[in-house]
Amino acid sequence: MAVATPDSPAGQIAQALVDFSVEGAFPEESVSSLTVDSDALPAAIEALASAKAKLQAEIHTINEETADDVRTWKTNAQSVQDDILRSKALANDILKQSEALQASGKAIEEAEARAAFLARELDYNTQLRNALKGIKAVNQILDQVEQARDGRRILDALHLLERSWKELDAVPVNKSCRAIKLLNIRAFELKSDVHQVFDHVWNTLIHVDIEGHKVSISDTKQGEAMSLSDAVIGLKAYHEVDQRAAQLWHDIDKAILAPRLDIKQERLPSIKINENTLELGGTSDQSIEAVFRDLEQVFAFLVENLPPDLIDTISTVLLPGLIPTITRTWLDLAVPSSLEEMDRFQATVTTTKGFCTTLKALGLTHLNELQEWTESAPRVWLSKRREAALDQIRTQLSQGLGTSKQVERVEKQLVSKSEGQQLAANGAMVTEDDGGWDAWGSDGEQDTGGQQTSRPAAKTLVAEPSADAIDDAADAWGWGEEEPEPEKSEEPQQKKQKQEEEDDPTEAWGWGDEAQNDDTAPEPAPTAPPAASKTQTRELTFKETYSISSLPQPVLDLISSHVEDGAALTQGTYANSPVAAAAAGLFSLPTLALAMFRAVAPHYYAPDVGGNMFLYNDATYLSERLAEFAEEWVKRDNISTRAQTMLRLDNDIKSMQSFANRAYSNEMSIQKTVLRDLLGGEQNLIQQDDTESCVSAAVARVRSLAIAWESILSRSAWQQAVGSLADAVANKIIGDVMELPGIGQDEAYNIANHIASVTALDDLFLPSRFATDSNSAAENEVPTTAQYAGSWLRLKYLSEVLQSNLKDVRYLWLESELSLYFSADEVVDLVNLSFEDNPRTREVIREIRARPNPLG
């Protein structure tokens, strides 16, 4: 193939392609009209390759010329300077031309526009030069920071960093510029690196070994350019003074203070100081004096070795957490719970005051809590006594009722001869030298000397104020026939009870609101009606026993110990004691202790069998013993007059009596509710399918409670409580019978059988049950159930009516005692329920209505 020459068609085509590719020139028409054949392609390719090689050579030459950044920067700077000089020369020419008179208006405008453009270019070039200088200066400062970091010159590095940020802010370039961003990133990275070096230096100067229980503080270290004072300056630069100080005190507390103040340890370490090292070593006693001595060493060491800026944080960070630990563990445990260690307590107060003085001399503050503790020693001691007393009550109650024991209640009473004879008939026991009730003089004079008898089997008042019980509430001692006005003897007691309820401080706690019912607790003493002036009377001593748990005695002992200490503080022996002012507070502790007993006792008594009755007995026993204690207190001659007047237990005694009554009433209310549920609840018992099993369950419940309470309650209280349960059963049955729409003969027979099952409870009230002589049982002894169950005879007469014909009903009403227990309307209703409506029935009804009170 022939070589293409420039003038040949192939050469012309090749040159046209190169010109178009390099310069973008179109070929002439003579060339563009040539025919492109296969011979032209190699020449074109060769021409293009030659042009490519030439361009690559040019590019390579340019790259070699711009390789050095510094030479390029100088070249550009010189170019900028030349441009500036040329711009100034051009501006001078423009000014000269503008001064020429022959210049036209258009030429002037063009000159002004050119001058403005050149001025802007000049400003831009000036700003660019300043920006480049600023960037170069910042970069050089950061290089110096790196050098200071590597040499551990922390302060120099921090100062240079601060200077670099100021220089960076002064660079006249937008902060979003890439160069500024890169410098900023580099500055922050250097700051982080410097902080890591600073941490290393700080930990070298102040080293806390928590596991080794050692703290070392050095002002300087060999090989470290920074001192401890300089380190604090660095902390300020990083705004970490408070954070680093808090961490330091936390570590010192864990390494030194916490192990030394851990009062639970059997052996406590002591604190030693060896030059610039604070460490634990050896053993120390558990006295508060040793604690303060070691703490004084610690604070003196810290104040001596630390810069002032860190010492200031001891008062604001370390002491607020340390002082509560000292007061609530060491100092509070040093408070005695009695007067026996009062000298030791006074020494503790003096030592604490000395510790406060030492810390103040070291320049420490925030000691208010510790100073308040020393200044309020009586209050602290009294608070300890109060907490101990309340905790003792809770602890004693949590241990359970313990072993029960019997106690005796002894009361004296004036009774008439007829009343005494009735007491003997009820089973009262007389002493051998009494000669019996017949020994009373027949001439109307009273024999001298008091007689002892056991507590009568019943009480003057059976405190069941319901209408059904009122007819026998006053003759539980057999006095009802001689004194037909029981209401008069009942009224003062009701007023007394009302006054007690009004004075009860526990009402403010909401206790006992549910106890306002008819199940009033039995009175602790029989109240004989006032005898006529001519009636023979004698003073008798009544005795009865009842059981209490093991809880009342510790409560009484606790109260006694507190008031005895209070009385001792009023003596001259304790005139200079730091707790002498707490005497009045000790006399108020019995009220708090008794209030705590009343608050939590129901929770601990309730789970035990008969627990509420034990609570009734215990509360009654407490009120009685407290009354005796208060009476004997004012008669004592070995205490001061002030102490005699400071004991005030009247309201507490009333509150405890009211609390006992509520415990009894609550138990009776609960048991009556259970009995009512066993008897069908709100449903009519007679209309139930399992009436017999319901009655049997109720009777069994009464018997089980009677057995459980017999070993707890006194005889009189037991009789009233069990009688009240029997009365509740009787009232339920009577009410359900009276609500029946009609009673057939078979149904009346079944009801009578059910009533017979219930009245079998009479065997619980036989006099021989309580006789001390096992051979005293009589064949025809009369149960005393009716004295304690107001509806008992009413239930029995109901059974008689249901089993009688009209003739017998007429006899029961007109000649027997049916009218004492049923009204005429009630008997008429029973007749209508049980008998057909015929002339004979109507005749009997007329006779009953005609004589509504046949025994009147």
Side-chain angles (χ1 to χ4, degrees):
M1 183 180 62
V3 179
T5 61
D7 296 331
S8 65
Q12 293 178 354
I13 293 173
Q15 185 63 40
L17 291 174
V18 171
D19 293 340
F20 180 78
S21 300
V22 175
E23 300 177 359
F26 287 92
E28 297 292 336
E29 182 177 357
S30 59
V31 177
S32 61
S33 61
L34 293 175
T35 302
V36 180
D37 54 10
S38 58
D39 295 336
L41 292 178
I45 293 173
E46 182 180 357
L48 290 174
S50 176
K52 177 180 178 182
K54 184 178 180 180
L55 288 175
Q56 288 176 344
E58 292 178 356
I59 293 173
H60 180 71
T61 301
I62 294 173
N63 287 339
E64 288 181 351
E65 292 175 355
T66 59
D68 192 350
D69 292 336
V70 175
R71 188 170 61 253
T72 301
W73 184 84
K74 288 182 178 180
T75 302
N76 292 337
Q78 186 63 41
S79 177
V80 170
Q81 186 67 26
D82 294 339
D83 290 342
I84 292 173
L85 294 176
R86 285 195 297 270
S87 298
K88 287 183 177 180
L90 185 59
N92 290 332
D93 294 338
I94 293 173
L95 289 176
K96 291 178 181 179
Q97 292 177 7
S98 63
E99 292 175 355
L101 297 176
Q102 68 273 16
S104 64
K106 184 176 181 181
I108 293 174
E109 290 178 0
E110 291 178 355
E112 289 178 350
R114 188 175 180 184
F117 170 75
L118 292 176
R120 289 194 298 271
E121 285 295 317
L122 180 62
D123 292 340
Y124 171 75
N125 291 332
T126 302
Q127 292 176 1
L128 178 61
R129 182 176 182 180
N130 292 337
L132 292 175
K133 286 183 178 180
I135 291 173
K136 180 180 179 180
V138 172
N139 194 55
Q140 290 175 346
I141 293 174
L142 295 179
D143 290 340
Q144 296 175 12
V145 172
E146 288 183 348
Q147 296 174 2
R149 177 200 63 189
D150 297 338
R152 294 189 177 180
R153 293 181 288 109
I154 305 301
L155 289 183
D156 292 342
L158 292 176
H159 290 154
L160 289 171
L161 277 174
E162 185 177 2
R163 178 184 167 190
S164 69
W165 277 315
K166 290 182 179 179
E167 293 286 346
L168 196 60
D169 291 337
V171 174
V173 178
N174 191 288
K175 302 307 176 186
S176 60
C177 175
R178 177 174 176 79
I180 299 300
K181 288 183 177 179
L182 292 176
L183 290 174
N184 224 341
I185 292 173
R186 185 184 179 193
F188 278 105
E189 289 177 349
L190 287 174
K191 182 181 179 181
S192 178
D193 294 342
V194 171
H195 190 273
Q196 292 179 0
V197 176
F198 175 76
D199 285 342
H200 172 76
V201 175
W202 173 267
N203 293 330
T204 302
L205 296 175
I206 300 179
H207 179 65
V208 181
D209 184 0
I210 296 177
E211 296 182 356
H213 305 292
K214 183 182 297 185
V215 177
S216 63
I217 301 177
S218 303
D219 186 59
T220 59
K221 277 285 187 180
Q222 186 176 1
E224 300 294 344
M226 184 173 64
S227 65
L228 188 56
S229 300
D230 294 337
V232 174
I233 298 175
L235 289 177
K236 292 180 179 179
Y238 283 106
H239 303 287
E240 293 182 358
V241 175
D242 294 337
Q243 176 185 349
R244 192 72 63 135
Q247 184 62 41
L248 174 61
W249 305 139
H250 177 72
D251 293 343
I252 292 178
D253 181 63
K254 292 179 65 177
I256 303 295
L257 299 179
R260 177 62 184 86
L261 298 178
D262 188 4
I263 199 170
K264 297 179 181 179
Q265 294 185 16
E266 295 181 0
R267 300 181 60 187
L268 290 174
S270 61
I271 296 177
K272 297 181 178 180
I273 296 177
N274 184 14
E275 295 182 356
N276 64 337
T277 302
L278 183 71
E279 61 183 341
L280 295 180
T283 58
S284 176
D285 57 55
Q286 293 192 348
S287 65
I288 189 63
E289 290 81 3
V291 171
F292 285 151
R293 187 166 54 250
D294 285 349
L295 290 179
E296 287 174 0
Q297 291 187 71
V298 171
F299 289 118
F301 173 82
L302 295 176
V303 171
E304 181 180 355
N305 290 277
L306 291 176
D309 292 318
L310 291 180
I311 294 174
D312 293 340
T313 61
I314 295 179
S315 301
T316 58
V317 179
L318 181 58
L319 288 180
L322 179 64
I323 289 179
T325 301
I326 297 175
T327 56
R328 295 170 189 172
T329 55
W330 289 90
L331 291 179
D332 286 352
L333 289 178
V335 178
S337 58
S338 64
L339 295 178
E340 297 177 357
E341 301 178 0
M342 196 49 59
D343 293 340
R344 177 70 177 168
F345 179 60
Q346 190 166 1
T348 299
V349 174
T350 303
T351 303
T352 306
K353 290 181 179 179
F355 179 67
C356 291
T357 302
T358 302
L359 294 188
K360 287 182 179 179
L362 293 174
L364 302 181
T365 57
H366 290 75
L367 304 173
N368 296 338
E369 184 176 350
L370 201 58
Q371 291 174 333
E372 289 176 1
W373 190 93
T374 60
E375 295 169 358
S376 59
R379 179 181 58 80
V380 172
W381 182 72
L382 186 60
S383 298
K384 179 67 174 291
R385 293 292 297 265
R386 182 187 302 113
E387 292 174 5
L390 298 181
D391 185 65
Q392 184 175 344
I393 294 292
R394 286 191 297 266
T395 303
Q396 197 69 37
L397 288 171
S398 65
Q399 294 174 357
L401 302 185
T403 304
S404 63
K405 68 174 182 178
Q406 285 195 335
V407 294
E408 188 176 59
R409 179 185 293 120
V410 180
E411 296 164 2
K412 293 183 179 180
Q413 193 95 185
L414 286 176
V415 297
S416 65
K417 179 178 179 179
S418 59
E419 295 160 358
Q421 292 173 344
Q422 181 63 39
L423 291 175
N426 286 340
M429 300 299 294
V430 297
T431 56
E432 293 181 357
D433 59 349
D434 188 2
W437 296 102
D438 294 335
W440 289 51
S442 59
D443 55 357
E445 296 180 358
Q446 175 185 348
D447 292 344
T448 59
Q451 302 298 327
Q452 290 189 346
T453 175
S454 64
R455 181 71 182 263
K459 305 174 58 60
T460 304
L461 296 179
V462 179
E464 291 283 334
S466 62
D468 294 331
I470 251 178
D471 53 356
D472 65 345
D475 63 352
W477 286 63
W479 295 340
E481 297 179 359
E482 297 178 2
E483 301 294 337
E485 296 182 17
E487 295 81 6
K488 294 182 179 180
S489 62
E490 195 173 28
E491 182 178 357
Q493 182 61 33
Q494 292 175 349
K495 291 182 178 180
K496 177 182 178 182
Q497 181 179 352
K498 180 178 180 182
Q499 182 66 29
E500 290 175 356
E501 293 175 355
E502 291 175 353
D503 295 339
D504 186 6
T506 61
E507 293 296 319
W509 290 32
W511 300 339
D513 293 341
E514 71 283 356
Q516 306 301 323
N517 52 44
D518 292 341
D519 298 307
T520 308
E523 294 296 326
T527 304
S533 60
K534 296 182 179 181
T535 304
Q536 297 178 4
T537 60
R538 169 174 287 181
E539 183 183 70
L540 297 181
T541 300
F542 301 109
K543 296 182 179 179
E544 66 176 351
T545 59
Y546 59 95
S547 296
I548 62 172
S549 70
S550 63
L551 297 177
Q553 193 58 47
V555 176
L556 293 172
D557 294 341
L558 177 67
I559 292 174
S560 176
S561 67
H562 281 91
V563 296
E564 289 291 349
D565 287 350
L569 289 178
T570 62
Q571 303 287 352
T573 308
Y574 291 95
N576 296 325
S577 173
V579 297
L586 285 179
F587 281 96
S588 67
L589 292 186
T591 298
L592 295 177
L594 293 174
M596 173 60 71
F597 178 85
R598 294 193 299 270
V600 302
H603 172 74
Y604 292 105
Y605 276 82
D608 290 74
V609 177
N612 283 331
M613 289 308 183
F614 265 120
L615 182 57
Y616 162 67
N617 282 352
D618 289 354
T620 302
Y621 180 80
L622 282 172
S623 63
E624 292 172 352
R625 297 290 82 79
L626 290 174
E628 294 176 1
F629 180 78
E631 183 178 356
E632 294 173 357
W633 182 264
V634 297
K635 298 178 181 179
R636 291 177 55 176
D637 56 0
N638 60 342
I639 59 176
S640 64
T641 305
R642 180 188 172 201
Q644 289 179 338
T645 59
M646 291 176 74
L647 181 65
R648 299 181 180 89
L649 295 177
D650 294 343
N651 289 334
D652 296 321
I653 293 171
K654 292 178 181 179
S655 299
M656 193 57 66
Q657 290 172 343
S658 179
F659 177 70
N661 293 339
R662 287 198 301 274
Y664 178 90
S665 300
N666 290 342
E667 178 67 8
M668 295 304 300
S669 177
I670 292 172
Q671 299 305 333
K672 286 185 178 182
T673 300
V674 172
L675 288 174
R676 184 172 182 82
D677 291 341
L678 292 175
L679 294 174
E682 298 300 325
Q683 304 297 322
N684 194 299
L685 172 65
I686 311 303
Q687 295 177 341
Q688 300 292 319
D689 296 334
D690 53 348
T691 302
E692 183 176 357
S693 62
C694 291
V695 173
S696 299
V699 172
R701 178 72 178 181
V702 174
R703 290 189 180 277
S704 65
L705 292 174
I707 294 173
W709 293 346
E710 191 169 13
S711 61
I712 301 175
L713 297 173
S714 63
R715 180 191 304 178
S716 59
W718 180 89
Q719 288 173 320
Q720 176 170 334
V722 178
S724 181
L725 297 181
D727 189 62
V729 175
N731 283 327
K732 171 64 175 172
I733 294 176
I734 293 171
D736 288 349
V737 170
M738 298 298 293
E739 291 177 358
L740 291 174
I743 303 175
Q745 184 176 357
D746 293 340
E747 192 172 17
Y749 176 78
N750 292 332
I751 296 174
N753 287 337
H754 299 328
I755 293 176
S757 299
V758 174
T759 54
L761 293 172
D762 275 334
D763 60 1
L764 296 175
F765 294 89
L766 295 176
S768 59
R769 183 182 181 91
F770 305 100
T772 57
D773 185 2
S774 59
N775 298 322
S776 61
E779 294 183 0
N780 297 322
E781 59 180 336
V782 179
T784 59
T785 317
Q787 295 181 5
Y788 309 100
S791 300
W792 200 247
L793 293 179
R794 180 176 165 88
L795 180 66
K796 290 187 174 183
Y797 271 101
L798 174 63
S799 177
E800 292 292 332
V801 171
L802 293 176
Q803 299 179 77
S804 301
N805 54 31
L806 284 174
K807 180 179 179 181
D808 293 336
V809 172
R810 180 181 179 281
Y811 171 80
L812 291 173
W813 179 261
L814 297 178
E815 301 182 25
S816 186
E817 297 179 349
L818 179 60
S819 60
L820 296 179
Y821 305 101
F822 285 89
S823 66
D825 292 337
E826 290 175 331
V827 175
V828 169
D829 290 341
L830 287 174
V831 170
N832 289 328
L833 291 174
S834 304
F835 300 97
E836 296 181 357
D837 185 13
N838 54 41
R840 178 57 182 159
T841 302
R842 290 193 290 271
E843 177 63 26
V844 172
I845 291 175
R846 279 195 298 271
E847 292 186 38
I848 293 173
R849 292 190 184 279
R851 299 181 61 182
N853 190 13
L855 301 182

